Amino acid sequence: MTFDFTPTTVDDLDPERRPSFVLALVPVLAVVTFLGIGSALLGLAPHVPLLWSIVFVGAFGRYLGYQWTDLSDGITNGLLMGSQALLILFTIYALIATWVDAGTIPAMMYYGLELLTPTVFLPVTVVLAAVVAFSIGSSWTTVGTLGVAFVGIGAGLGVPAPMTVGAVISGAYAGDKQSPLSDTTNLAAGVTNTSLYDHIHRMRTGTAIAFGLSILGFAALGLRAGGEIPVNRVAEIQTALSGTYDLSVLVFLPLIVTFGLALYGYPALPTLVVGVVAGVCTSILVQGAGFVAAWEVFMNGTAPETGTDLVNELLATGGLTGSAWTITVVVAALSLGGLLEHTGVLAVLADRLSQAVWSSGSLIAGTGLSAILINALTAQQYMSIVLPGLTLRNLYEEFGLDSDELSRAVEAAGTPTGALIPWHAGGVFMASATGVPTLEYAPFYLFGLLSPLVLFAMTLTGRGVPTTDRAERVQTAD
C-alpha cells in the first residue's frame, strides 16, 4: 500500500504562522478537555466533543493567520488519508449483514457451540483470530466476521462479551502485525525505508512476548469466565439457529471465497466486495431469499425472528445504512486530525520530541509515545505510522539506529492502540461491529495494552538497542 502523503515539518511552516511549542499545546489540551468532558463526564456521543474540537482548532488556525481555504485543505488531507478505512467500514457493515442472512455467521455460531467449552473458549479464540488475521492480513475483516460469530458463541457459553471481544481483537492485531499481507505492516516498512521482512523480523520478539502473555491472561480468565452454562442454553440457541437458517456446508461459501482471495493476495477492499456478493448469492440460492430482499439486507441489515431474544439480538445488523453513526464519528475525527497536521501543531510537537531525546533508548520510547498521541489526536492508525515514521527517520540515522528500529516502534505502539481509543476509527469500528463499547472491552484487550508496554520494557532494558547517547552522537558528527 502506498500513500501520496508527506507530513508537514517545522521547516515547511511559514515562520509567521508557526506556533511555538507552548502555543501548540493549547489545541491539544483543548481536544483532550473537550473529549474528556463531553464523552466521560456528560456522556455525549463522540460526535459532539469532536465538533467542539474542530471548531476550536479551526479558530486556532485562523488566529495563526490561516485562511478558510487553507483549513479546508487540511480537512481534505485528513479525509484522504483515511479514505480506505472509510470505504472498508462501509463494506464490512454490508458484509456482516449479508453473511448473517446467508447463514454463514449463524453456522459458525452453531458449530462453535458444539466444539468449544467455557474453559478453553478465550485462549482458543485469541489463537484462531491471530491465525486468521495473519493469513488474510486484516484485523478489521477478522473482527467483522470471525469476531461477530465468536461473540454469539461466547454468549451461549456464558462468557462475558467484553472478554470475548478483547480476545478476538487481541488475536486479530497480533496476527495482523506479523502478516506480510497487512496494509499497516507494509506501510510501516515503506515510510521508514525498511525491507518488509526485516521489519517483520524486528517485530517478532516483542509481538511474541505480548501475544504469549495475552494467551496466558485469557487462559486464566477462561478458568472463571464461563462458570456453569445455564441449563439448555446451548440447545436453545442451536435450535433457534437451525430452525431459522439452512446450515448446510454451502453457507460457508462466502467465508471460503473471501478468505481465499485474501490468502491469494488480493487487496482488502475488492476482496470484501466479492464477499458481500457471495453473501447475497448464498442468501438467494441456499436460504431461498428473493433477489430484492437479499439486496435490501445489504442496504438495511437484518432483524431475524428466531423465537429466542438472545439470538435475535446477536444477529440483528444495520447493513450499509447502519454504518452512518460509525462513519460520521470517523469523518469528524479525521477532519480534526487533518486540521492539527495542517496548522503545524503536530510538526511542532514532533520537533520538540527530536530535541528532547538524549539517547537511542529515549528516542525509541519517545517514538512509541508519539505514535499513541497521534492515534488519540488524529483517530487514524495510518497517521500514527506515517507522521513519526517520516519525521524521525533522519534522527534514527544520527543515533546510529537501523530503520527497522523505527518501523518496529511506530507499529508496536501505533497499530494496536487505536482500538483502545473510543473516537479512533479502530475503536469505533470494533465497538460497533461487536456491539460492545470500547471502554468495556478495553481492559480485556490484552494485546493492545501489552504491545507498547513490551516495547518500552525492551527499550528500558536495552534489549537489542544500541546505547548511543546524545554526547556520543554529537562527538561522532564532529
Side-chain angles (χ1 to χ4, degrees):
M1 172 176 291
T2 58
F3 291 95
D4 295 325
F5 173 79
T6 301
T8 302
T9 65
V10 169
D11 294 334
D12 296 329
L13 297 172
D14 182 346
E16 295 183 357
R17 297 191 296 190
R18 180 192 303 157
S20 65
F21 174 67
V22 173
L23 192 59
L25 288 177
V26 173
V28 173
L29 294 175
V31 170
V32 172
T33 301
F34 290 149
L35 289 169
I37 293 176
S39 298
L41 187 61
L42 301 179
L44 294 169
H47 306 68
V48 178
L50 283 171
L51 176 61
W52 298 343
S53 301
I54 290 170
V55 172
F56 186 93
V57 177
F60 177 80
R62 292 287 291 146
Y63 171 77
L64 294 176
Y66 288 92
Q67 301 300 313
W68 165 245
T69 53
D70 299 320
L71 300 176
S72 178
D73 287 342
I75 292 174
T76 300
N77 288 338
L79 293 174
L80 286 174
M81 189 68 176
S83 59
Q84 170 150 315
L86 290 171
L87 292 173
I88 288 176
L89 277 172
F90 273 121
T91 310
I92 288 183
Y93 272 86
L95 180 138
I96 293 171
T98 57
W99 283 25
V100 168
D101 197 51
T104 306
I105 289 177
M108 292 168 68
M109 292 170 55
Y110 183 93
Y111 294 110
L113 288 169
E114 287 274 334
L115 299 173
L116 297 172
T117 65
T119 302
V120 303
F121 173 71
L122 288 173
V124 168
T125 295
V126 72
V127 171
L128 286 177
V131 171
V132 171
F134 175 81
S135 301
I136 66 175
S138 174
S139 56
W140 287 24
T141 303
T142 301
V143 174
T145 53
L146 184 74
V148 173
F150 270 62
V151 169
I153 297 170
L157 297 176
V159 178
M163 289 187 185
T164 302
V165 174
V168 171
I169 301 177
S170 291
Y173 274 99
D176 178 271
K177 271 167 46 56
Q178 287 294 296
S179 174
L181 302 176
S182 167
D183 55 355
T184 55
T185 302
N186 280 272
L187 179 61
V191 300
T192 59
N193 197 25
T194 304
S195 162
L196 173 61
Y197 288 98
D198 285 347
H199 168 55
I200 292 174
H201 178 74
R202 177 62 69 180
M203 286 196 299
R204 188 164 297 154
T205 300
T207 302
I209 293 172
F211 185 55
L213 291 174
S214 297
I215 293 175
L216 292 176
F218 285 114
L221 288 172
L223 295 176
R224 61 183 181 83
E228 293 294 327
I229 303 175
V231 178
N232 296 327
R233 172 185 276 180
V234 171
E236 179 185 2
I237 293 175
Q238 289 183 315
T239 300
L241 292 171
S242 60
T244 307
Y245 301 93
D246 181 337
L247 300 180
S248 67
V249 69
L250 293 176
V251 300
F252 291 105
L253 178 64
L255 182 72
I256 295 170
V257 169
T258 302
F259 286 178
L261 289 175
L263 286 169
Y264 195 73
Y266 278 86
L269 192 57
T271 295
L272 292 172
V273 171
V274 171
V276 169
V277 175
V280 170
C281 291
T282 303
S283 295
I284 296 170
L285 298 176
V286 179
Q287 304 300 340
F291 182 84
V292 173
W295 283 107
E296 285 181 343
V297 166
F298 158 84
M299 193 68 193
N300 300 314
T302 56
E305 296 181 0
T306 65
T308 301
D309 290 339
L310 175 61
V311 178
N312 293 344
E313 293 173 6
L314 290 170
L315 297 181
T317 63
L320 195 64
T321 57
S323 67
W325 191 95
T326 303
I327 293 294
T328 49
V329 173
V330 175
V331 165
L334 291 174
S335 300
L336 173 61
L339 284 173
L340 289 168
E341 198 278 331
H342 200 72
T343 54
V345 171
L346 298 181
V348 170
L349 296 179
D351 181 67
R352 176 52 65 97
L353 170 64
S354 68
Q355 297 176 30
V357 297
W358 65 91
S359 66
S360 53
S362 68
L363 175 58
I364 294 173
T367 302
L369 289 173
S370 70
I372 296 172
L373 176 63
I374 292 168
N375 252 337
L377 293 177
T378 67
Q380 178 52 260
Q381 64 184 14
Y382 297 148
M383 199 82 84
S384 73
I385 292 172
V386 172
L387 282 172
L390 290 179
T391 57
L392 300 177
R393 196 161 66 187
N394 291 338
L395 198 57
Y396 271 70
E397 293 177 0
E398 293 180 21
F399 271 96
L401 293 171
D402 293 333
S403 62
D404 56 10
E405 291 287 359
L406 172 58
S407 65
R408 173 180 69 113
V410 294
E411 184 155 24
T415 300
T417 54
L420 292 166
I421 302 169
W423 57 88
H424 189 279
V428 171
F429 169 74
M430 300 303 167
S432 184
T434 61
V436 178
T438 306
L439 295 181
E440 290 187 16
Y441 72 65
F444 303 103
Y445 174 28
L446 301 185
F447 183 79
L449 297 170
L450 288 168
S451 181
L453 291 178
V454 169
L455 171 70
F456 299 144
M458 292 178 68
T459 302
L460 182 65
T461 58
R463 180 181 175 84
V465 180
T467 58
T468 308
D469 62 20
R470 180 175 288 276
E472 291 174 353
R473 181 170 66 95
V474 173
Q475 185 177 3
T476 301
D478 292 340

